[in-house]
Amino acid sequence: LGMRELGNTGLKLSSLGFGASPLGNVFGTVKEEDAIASVNEAVRLGVNYFDTSPYYGGTLSEQVLGKALKTLTIPRDQYVVSTKCGRYKEGFDFSAERVTRSIDESLARLNLDYVDIFQCHDIEFGSLDQVVNETIPALQKIKETGKIRYIGITGLPLNVFSYVLDRVPPGSVDVILSYCHYSINDSSLENLLPYLKCKGVGVISASPLSMGLLTESGPPEWHPAPSELKSACAAATTHCKAKGKNISKLALQYSLKNKDISSVLVGMNSVQQVQENVAAAIEANQGQSIDDELLREVEVIINPVKNVAWESGISQN
């Protein structure tokens, strides 16, 4: 599958990561045995990175992932788990007290003694100054206890990352997780990569399918993208289908091309999805894969709305 180093952490992540939000039934109901089977299949095929949050399915994603991890037969140091704090079903709370409680709750649900990466979740909804002055210092105290190994921040607008990284002590934030900014319709994360590299911060990118925009089934009802972006992506999807190709595979391979992104997280909830995504990732890593001609045609359709952003109001991430 190809392993990539994550910033200065020393961790090596599979280029394809397992996004566990679907295990919280965020995108429809998933049977527990299917969830457990998909996690085991992912590991069997070389995926070593799993990402969740207490917010996904109101803690259900963590609980189900925890049950699945318990069934793995490989040593704990062979896989990497990240979860998050600060965003909950009840709302946002980035206080030191809440995030300190949060890690113990998450570890209990995940059946783990530690998580590799603990991330402040969707920080644009909180006070960035509180994240800098209170949350990150609290996470550093937790790190000293051994319950977490590395500290991260996540969010939709890209400007939140530099705001925080410019204000915290160097080395206190190890990782950023960005979503919906490295895909065929929006590659604006690219502009931030040299800055993040210079800061020694690892980069994880989620949602290469733009939360459903680049799929044959199309985005969910709640998707916040403007209508012209939805239309362009739908047209691109139809174009691929007419050529007997699936836009989701093209989109995933496009996102995997950039080696400065350590892992591309994709939500998965079935053995078949895991197998399809891994096959696409293996092709991409062997460099034989991406259908350049089709990609150019799709880019022509999407270019008029390329990098059109949306507000991070009702995203499920």
Side-chain angles (χ1 to χ4, degrees):
L1 243 190
M3 297 300 223
R4 297 178 184 176
E5 295 202 354
L6 181 66
N8 294 338
T9 63
L11 292 175
K12 286 196 167 126
L13 304 187
S14 48
S15 60
L16 177 72
F18 188 112
S21 72
L23 305 190
N25 295 338
V26 172
F27 298 97
T29 310
V30 180
K31 287 204 202 90
E32 204 166 276
E33 59 265 34
D34 291 342
I36 290 169
S38 58
V39 167
N40 277 274
E41 183 67 358
V43 167
R44 190 182 75 80
L45 295 174
V47 173
N48 78 338
Y49 172 45
F50 298 85
D51 174 74
T52 182
S53 165
Y55 174 64
Y56 300 148
T59 76
L60 185 63
S61 170
E62 283 190 332
Q63 291 172 53
V64 174
L65 180 61
K67 284 182 181 165
L69 294 175
K70 218 174 179 174
T71 66
L72 295 180
T73 51
I74 55 170
R76 173 66 184 91
D77 63 2
Q78 299 290 293
Y79 59 92
V80 174
V81 178
S82 59
T83 191
K84 309 184 184 83
C85 61
R87 184 169 201 182
Y88 309 97
K89 190 175 63 186
E90 307 75 45
F92 291 90
D93 187 347
F94 292 98
S95 66
E97 187 272 329
R98 182 68 189 95
V99 301
T100 304
R101 256 199 356 241
S102 199
I103 186 60
D104 292 329
E105 295 165 359
S106 287
L107 290 175
R109 286 190 287 263
L110 289 163
N111 293 309
L112 296 176
D113 299 325
Y114 69 92
V115 292
D116 299 273
I117 308 165
F118 198 44
Q119 310 170 103
C120 304
H121 194 178
D122 289 345
I123 58 175
E124 68 269 24
F125 290 102
S127 148
L128 295 182
D129 290 326
Q130 181 186 32
V131 169
V132 168
N133 298 315
E134 184 178 345
T135 321
I136 301 294
L139 297 193
Q140 287 184 285
K141 285 205 174 86
I142 300 169
K143 190 176 178 176
E144 285 161 18
T145 67
K147 291 174 186 175
I148 65 180
R149 293 179 68 197
Y150 301 104
I151 293 168
I153 51 179
T154 85
L156 182 64
L158 292 172
N159 59 359
V160 299
F161 298 123
S162 50
Y163 187 95
V164 171
L165 292 171
D166 286 343
R167 287 165 178 79
V168 294
S172 54
V173 172
D174 304 290
V175 185
I176 67 117
L177 192 162
S178 161
Y179 70 102
C180 291
H181 290 305
Y182 202 91
S183 57
I184 294 173
N185 60 292
D186 183 336
S187 56
S188 49
L189 174 62
E190 203 154 17
N191 305 327
L192 201 60
L193 294 175
Y195 165 85
L196 293 166
K197 206 172 208 171
C198 156
K199 290 272 185 190
V201 171
V203 183
I204 295 161
S205 179
S207 205
L209 312 183
S210 271
M211 302 190 320
L213 286 176
L214 303 173
T215 59
E216 289 187 352
S217 50
E221 278 298 300
W222 49 258
H223 200 295
S227 57
E228 66 270 23
L229 177 55
K230 286 182 177 169
S231 311
C233 291
T237 303
T238 307
H239 177 79
C240 289
K241 212 171 178 178
K243 298 203 140 192
K245 303 287 174 118
N246 187 322
I247 195 163
S248 298
K249 179 180 177 183
L250 184 74
L252 176 57
Q253 292 185 330
Y254 171 88
S255 299
L256 285 163
K257 274 199 316 187
N258 194 320
K259 301 281 197 294
D260 288 330
I261 293 168
S262 299
S263 192
V264 175
L265 274 171
V266 184
M268 301 191 232
N269 59 16
S270 71
V271 166
Q272 187 190 345
Q273 274 183 5
V274 170
Q275 290 169 343
E276 285 171 3
N277 288 327
V278 168
I282 287 171
E283 268 187 24
N285 283 332
Q286 288 167 349
Q288 62 185 39
S289 65
I290 200 156
D291 187 331
D292 285 316
E293 189 187 341
L294 182 65
L295 178 61
R296 278 194 297 275
E297 292 165 2
V298 163
E299 286 180 327
V300 167
I301 298 169
I302 288 178
N303 269 343
V305 287
K306 175 100 179 180
N307 292 350
V308 167
W310 56 81
E311 290 302 308
S312 55
I314 46 173
S315 122
Q316 300 285 307
N317 247 51

